[in-house]
Amino acid sequence: MNDCIFCKIASGEMEAKLVKKEGNCLAIEDINPQAPVHLLIIPAEHIQDMSEAVGKGVLEEVFAMAVLLAEEKGLAERGYRLVINCGEEGGQTVPHLHLHLLGGRPLTWPPG
Ligand code: 5GP
Ligand code: ZN
């Protein structure tokens, strides 16, 4: 996927604030953070969305990395939010699967 920004970040072709890289995923800081902690956990391989991801072990890896990062960022006790936006109406703007880890402030519900 030549023009995919998250593929480019995963390959090092494009810069990002890398927080962790392990196994088949990486975590970066969101460029437009919506909370004091706003990380994106991304499979290194190009997987477009949840439909493509189910049944592949990478989902477990993505969520395991998010939980570990929540602990490392001191959010485990306070609470945090994990979000995967799916498709246009779900608010997915980058068509490469990514899990948002948000925390560090009280998060409201429902989302917009
Ligand atoms: P989505 O709307 O697809 O669920 O989330 C995409 C996220 O990627 C947004 O929160 C947006 O701020 C972030 N984002 C978009 N482009 C870049 C980029 O080039 N670098 C980083 N670090 N984050 C990006
Ligand atoms: Zn990609």
Side-chain angles (χ1 to χ4, degrees):
M1 268 276 167
N2 289 340
D3 55 355
C4 172
I5 57 173
F6 288 171
C7 281
K8 285 183 178 168
I9 287 172
S11 70
E13 193 183 326
M14 212 174 121
E15 269 192 39
K17 287 190 181 163
L18 186 70
V19 178
K20 197 181 273 294
K21 191 166 190 191
E22 239 171 63
N24 299 307
C25 8
L26 60 148
I28 60 169
E29 289 184 8
D30 196 291
I31 204 167
N32 181 23
Q34 300 302 311
V37 177
H38 188 174
L39 303 179
L40 303 173
I41 300 98
I42 303 170
E45 176 195 354
H46 185 83
I47 295 171
Q48 184 168 319
D49 54 21
M50 281 299 293
S51 307
E52 268 186 32
V54 285
K56 298 185 180 163
V58 74
L59 273 183
E60 168 64 25
E61 276 191 62
V62 164
F63 278 95
M65 185 178 279
V67 169
L68 185 64
L69 284 164
E71 286 164 3
E72 288 177 2
K73 297 285 179 185
L75 299 176
E77 300 271 306
R78 299 176 62 174
Y80 56 91
R81 186 170 294 166
L82 299 177
V83 177
I84 296 180
N85 294 323
C86 302
E88 197 177 338
E89 288 200 356
Q92 184 176 7
T93 58
V94 178
H96 178 135
L97 183 85
H98 49 281
L99 175 62
H100 296 256
L101 166 60
L102 295 146
R105 67 168 170 86
L107 298 163
T108 56
W109 194 264

